[in-house]
Amino acid sequence: DLNGTVITGNKVTTQRLGVSIDDLIGQNIYDFLPSQVAESRRGKAQKVALTGEPVRFEDEGQGIVVDQTIYPIFDSHDKVYRFAVYSNDITERKQTEEALRKSEIHYRSLFDNSLDAFLLTSPDGSIFDANPAACRIFGRTAEEIKRLGRNALVDITDPRFQTAVEERDRTGKAHAELTLIRADNTKFPAEVTSTVYIDESGLERSSIIIRDISDRKQAENALRESQERFFNAFEYASIGMAMISTEGKFLKVNRALCSFLGYGEHELLDKTFRDIT
């Protein structure tokens, strides 16, 4: 009633309060609640009595979160004379929401501060999120990246691109070296890893991690060129040259040495330096 005296209650209510229905009827509901919760509940009940409008709210106490709605019940003169109170224990849901919120905070921190570029895309290649590293790599704002979509950022004529897409569609994950395109239309090599996942709405998405490997490729090219220069200088030198192990075994010999000694290359590689001295 308007004072909080229990007229009746269902089984869930008695289980939650830990009393039988007989022990509950006639008792004041506020006596079963923590003092702060009881005071708040009285204020909301008074509001319902005055306005005739239901009030929905959440109560939290003793580690439990309850979704509450107080509905007015009217007498024959359209005056509120009783309340119907519906309570739903949402503790588990709140805990899940809090865990998701913390997970989202952790995820956003990783996403925003990663040195690698991150893109979140749909299967058709539309982009709905891009981190700051992606903006730096492509020389575009996040809004530009989302507006343009995946296919404007990658050289789709590269056969490796279609192979990677097919692998991702078949296995749910793909890793490849692809050629990507900056805002100024310059191209650069990148390691790209794409992983399919299902979001909270049940939609299929892809997370794409991109690492610019321009520096690595330049170093590899420089090393290869250096090796080629060494090979040419070694192989075509006019003087005899050889690479020998610490035990004196020939590891590599040039043409001039073979000519001077009168051996074929394979013959000489079967010998040691001691054999020819």
Side-chain angles (χ1 to χ4, degrees), residues 123 162 164-174 196 204 206:
Q162 189 59 41
V165 171
E166 291 172 357
E167 181 183 354
R168 185 208 61 187
D169 292 344
R170 186 177 67 256
T171 67
K173 188 171 184 177
V196 176
E204 183 178 295
S206 291

Side-chain angles (χ1 to χ4, degrees), residues 153-190:
L153 306 176
V154 62
D155 182 1
I156 59 176
T157 64
D158 186 338
R160 297 175 299 177
F161 171 69
Q162 189 59 41
T163 300
V165 171
E166 291 172 357
E167 181 183 354
R168 185 208 61 187
D169 292 344
R170 186 177 67 256
T171 67
K173 188 171 184 177
H175 179 81
E177 287 189 9
L178 301 178
T179 301
L180 304 185
I181 306 171
R182 295 189 177 90
D184 60 4
N185 288 323
T186 57
K187 296 182 178 181
F188 65 99

Side-chain angles (χ1 to χ4, degrees), residues 8 16 36 74 76 106 116 138 141 144 147 177 185 189 207 223 231 238 265 274:
T8 188
R16 186 172 295 159
Q36 285 185 331
F74 301 92
S76 57
H106 181 61
D116 291 330
F138 290 107
T141 66
E144 286 178 320
R147 176 173 52 81
E177 287 189 9
N185 288 323
S207 64
L223 177 60
F231 172 80
S238 59
E265 180 182 356
R274 187 181 297 275

Side-chain angles (χ1 to χ4, degrees), residues 76-127:
S76 57
H77 302 288
D78 288 332
K79 289 186 177 180
V80 178
Y81 81 112
R82 286 182 180 173
F83 301 117
V85 181
Y86 291 84
S87 301
N88 182 28
D89 187 341
I90 58 172
T91 306
E92 185 174 346
R93 190 191 80 193
K94 283 293 185 180
Q95 290 171 343
T96 301
E97 290 174 352
E98 178 64 13
L100 287 173
R101 186 187 67 82
K102 291 179 178 179
S103 176
E104 174 68 11
I105 291 173
H106 181 61
Y107 158 75
R108 290 306 309 186
S109 176
L110 292 174
F111 185 83
D112 290 340
N113 297 301
S114 172
L115 296 178
D116 291 330
F118 273 86
L119 300 177
L120 299 181
T121 75
S122 299
D124 62 0
S126 59
I127 297 172

Side-chain angles (χ1 to χ4, degrees), residues 129-231:
D129 208 352
N131 73 341
C135 297
R136 290 193 298 271
I137 283 179
F138 290 107
R140 299 183 183 275
T141 66
E143 291 306 315
E144 286 178 320
I145 290 174
K146 288 188 281 188
R147 176 173 52 81
L148 288 170
R150 179 196 62 195
N151 290 359
L153 306 176
V154 62
D155 182 1
I156 59 176
T157 64
D158 186 338
R160 297 175 299 177
F161 171 69
Q162 189 59 41
T163 300
V165 171
E166 291 172 357
E167 181 183 354
R168 185 208 61 187
D169 292 344
R170 186 177 67 256
T171 67
K173 188 171 184 177
H175 179 81
E177 287 189 9
L178 301 178
T179 301
L180 304 185
I181 306 171
R182 295 189 177 90
D184 60 4
N185 288 323
T186 57
K187 296 182 178 181
F188 65 99
E191 282 186 350
V192 180
T193 300
S194 178
T195 305
V196 176
Y197 69 98
I198 305 300
D199 70 6
E200 63 276 6
S201 302
L203 299 175
E204 183 178 295
R205 305 292 195 189
S206 291
S207 64
I208 299 177
I209 303 174
I210 300 168
R211 177 170 293 179
D212 186 342
I213 57 172
S214 300
D215 291 343
R216 193 185 80 191
K217 285 296 183 181
Q218 289 174 357
E220 289 175 354
N221 291 336
L223 177 60
R224 184 173 62 254
E225 291 173 0
S226 176
Q227 289 172 334
E228 289 175 355
R229 286 195 298 271
F230 168 78
F231 172 80

